[in-house]
Amino acid sequence: MRKPVWPPLARERVHFVGQPVAAVIAESAAAAADAAELVQIEYRDLAPVTTLADALREGAPQLHAEAPGNLAFDFESGDAAAAEAAFAKAAHVSRLTLRSQRLVGNPMEPRACAASHDAGTAIYTIYTPTQGVNGMRGALSALTNVPRERLRIVAQDVGGSFGIRSPAYPEHAVVMAAAKRLGRPVKWVGTRSEVFLGDNQGRALELTGELALDATGRILALRWDHVANLGAYATPFGAWVGTRNLTVTMGGVYRIPVLYGRARCVYTNTAPVSAYRGAGRPDIAFAIERLIEYAAAEHGLDPIEFRRRNFVPAEAMPYKTANGTVYDSGDFAAVMDDALARAGHAGFAARRAEAAARGKLRGIGVAAYLEAAGAGAAPKDQVRGRFGADGFLTVWTLTQSGGQGHETTFAEIVASGLGVPIERVRIRASDPEADLVGSGVGGSRSLAGCGSACRVLADRIVEQARPFAAEALEAAPEDLEYARGAFTIKGTGRAIGLFALAERLAGPTPHPLDALGEGTFGATFPNGCHVAEVEIDPDTGATRIVRYTAVDDIGTVVSPALARGQVHGGVVQGAGQVFGEQAIYAPDSGQLLTASFADYPMPRAGIIERFDVHPHPVPTGTNVLGAKGVGESGCSGSLPALANAVLDALRPLGIATLDLPFTPARLWEAIAAARGRALSRRAHAPQV
């Protein structure tokens, strides 16, 4: 891959609007802002490239000398020759090009960092919102050449992340350098405008899929041609999103003999792109299910039976796809049947007719999605349990909560494993002294990785405490049984509680019952079926999401309320992309035109009028909990389900496909054009 240098402050050229150019340090934010007004920069305009087509065209302006043709990476997965042979003998072929438009992440709190430097120890202490302190430590070390052991990262509650908070940013390096040079702490807090202009953005993909079918509707081959917009520079995850994450599940829930995918990653004069809730996996799920629905309509197939005919059967699990991905478990047909029944799919025709009588266009969309979760980059996941003099067990983790409720879920796992009240367990993140290994938050890994380590921790504490309990009870360790938070001598009533034992042993540091929970836990594949029902007003193009049903196989569910909340959030985030969100750059200047909430719509509470969420667990064996992860499930299901619902409503008008987002203006224009074509055909029809 061709990766040009990305300086913390621009050198000679500014490659995107929002790139930091100069740093001003002052006693107060107001003074710094005033001083920044005095900075004078002489610019010479250069021709920008903001779209993929512009960047790849012959003779396009070159962003970086290291990347001729603005091409960073050309990637392949699967068997191109086998795909070509399969398409040559296919009875039916469908081809569809889709766009997963660029999005602004917009977490609840703007990005910020504060740093200090100890001249005596040469240690930096950096406070910053992040998804994982180990990942941030590694990123900052690579950016600044400061050894990892001299970087102390502190983070607690994070007001949203969605992937864009994972990597280091230029401001981190600038603040660190300033703190060292001045010998005092330095802080930077971004504004909402800086979030729009300077934070890594998401999606920005063009996806073209081709499906080859035999005469009975069996899928013979599937091939993809993707183009990913990296923005002006390569982030640590940008090319990963546009390549591996699009191809690892490019066959979805279907048994497809031949798979092939090509992906090109391209530089443009726009904000860099990185992971954003699902990091490519919702995009490929969207593309697969749109292509499946499109092919069914094009070739006169029932879309439900078409899916059922091509599902990977439950008895084939674990299933190895044509490009080498191994799905651990799942029952895709049962999940779809569950979703269709709960959504009242059989009664939709009557609801559509009733809506038509009111002058509305009603559509239903089904999406059987699958996504990859829990892989992680670290060799294992660790948590550390510490007993305090206050009578609590504090569990330190590497996972930063960005609204997922880790403090509840992890405490439930530990408390359940120990048989003690959840109130006695506290969860804390990122103790710099804990020196833990783990992948942090990302890719729906928290429960499968850190949660499994919490379950192991509970078992370790019990076994570590057993000889001490035996000594306290004057019994042999093998004569003790543990249940409901206490050790009891078998066949007697003599017992000692875990926390009573911990209090008795208090004094030495570390506490004798302090323990490490760890393990290596593999990837898994959450899946599900979402059914969306929408109603479009053809006179305005406005869409109502009148009913939404989500049935998800996320494996073992630990906290049902929090799992539902994760699905709710993901579905609504997907709805934001389907119906409004879009980052738009002016092609002649590279200026971001949607740089505030006045121009960039966000989904609001109530956007979905009826919400039904149900688990359909098929536990995995890749971790001790049997959990598959839920963080990206809502997004992965809602993008295709909502898009299919809208296109189903428009199909009677002859509209087969349409680019996201489905804004009222775009839908109204499409409906008006379709009605105009219909009137024209009737006007020119031969009179009998």
Side-chain angles (χ1 to χ4, degrees), residues 44 140 206 257 268 270 325 347 353 367 428 438 456 479 500 558 593 595:
R44 179 170 58 87
L140 285 177
E206 290 184 5
T268 63
T270 58
T325 303
R428 295 289 184 267
V456 172
D479 291 337
V558 174
L593 301 179

Side-chain angles (χ1 to χ4, degrees), residues 355-627:
R358 292 185 283 107
K360 310 299 182 187
L361 303 172
R362 196 168 180 120
I364 194 165
V366 176
Y369 76 89
L370 173 140
E371 58 116 351
K380 56 186 173 182
D381 285 278
Q382 295 178 328
V383 298
R384 191 179 299 279
R386 292 172 174 160
F387 286 86
D390 55 4
F392 288 88
L393 169 62
T394 301
V395 179
W396 291 94
T397 78
L398 286 173
T399 58
Q400 267 59 54
S401 178
Q404 301 97 320
H406 293 163
E407 299 88 343
T408 300
T409 301
F410 295 156
E412 284 180 352
I413 294 169
V414 175
S416 174
L418 294 174
V420 301
I422 191 173
E423 295 78 13
R424 302 297 293 272
V425 180
R426 293 185 300 207
I427 304 298
R428 295 289 184 267
S430 75
D431 176 11
E433 309 304 324
D435 194 27
L436 297 172
V437 174
S439 294
V441 179
S444 298
R445 181 170 177 77
S446 296
L447 192 62
C450 186
S452 290
C454 284
R455 185 66 183 84
V456 172
L457 172 68
D459 294 339
R460 292 271 174 86
I461 289 174
V462 170
E463 291 312 304
Q464 204 160 300
R466 185 177 296 275
F468 294 102
E471 183 179 348
L473 293 171
E474 299 180 335
E478 60 270 19
D479 291 337
L480 300 184
E481 56 187 5
Y482 183 85
R484 294 185 294 278
F487 288 96
T488 304
I489 301 176
K490 298 174 185 177
T492 76
R494 293 183 58 206
I496 185 169
L498 178 65
F499 281 96
L501 179 63
E503 184 177 354
R504 177 173 175 158
L505 296 172
T509 301
H511 191 285
L513 300 189
D514 289 354
L516 185 71
E518 64 178 13
T520 300
F521 312 107
T524 186
F525 295 85
N527 61 88
C529 182
H530 289 198
V531 183
E533 215 163 307
V534 303
E535 203 169 271
I536 303 171
D537 183 343
D539 294 328
T540 65
T543 303
R544 293 169 52 213
I545 307 172
V546 295
R547 187 171 182 173
Y548 196 97
T549 304
V551 174
D552 300 291
D553 170 16
I554 53 176
T556 301
V557 178
V558 174
S559 301
L562 290 173
R564 283 195 301 273
Q566 284 285 294
V567 175
H568 286 172
V571 168
V572 170
Q573 203 160 352
Q577 179 176 354
V578 171
F579 292 107
E581 291 188 55
Q582 182 175 205
I584 302 173
Y585 284 86
D588 59 339
S589 66
Q591 176 66 50
L592 181 62
L593 301 179
T594 52
S596 75
F597 288 136
D599 309 297
Y600 188 96
M602 295 286 280
R604 300 185 179 187
I607 187 174
I608 296 177
E609 298 178 16
R610 177 178 170 182
F611 221 144
D612 299 310
V613 175
H614 305 276
H616 190 116
V618 181
T620 178
T622 63
N623 61 74
V624 299
L625 293 176

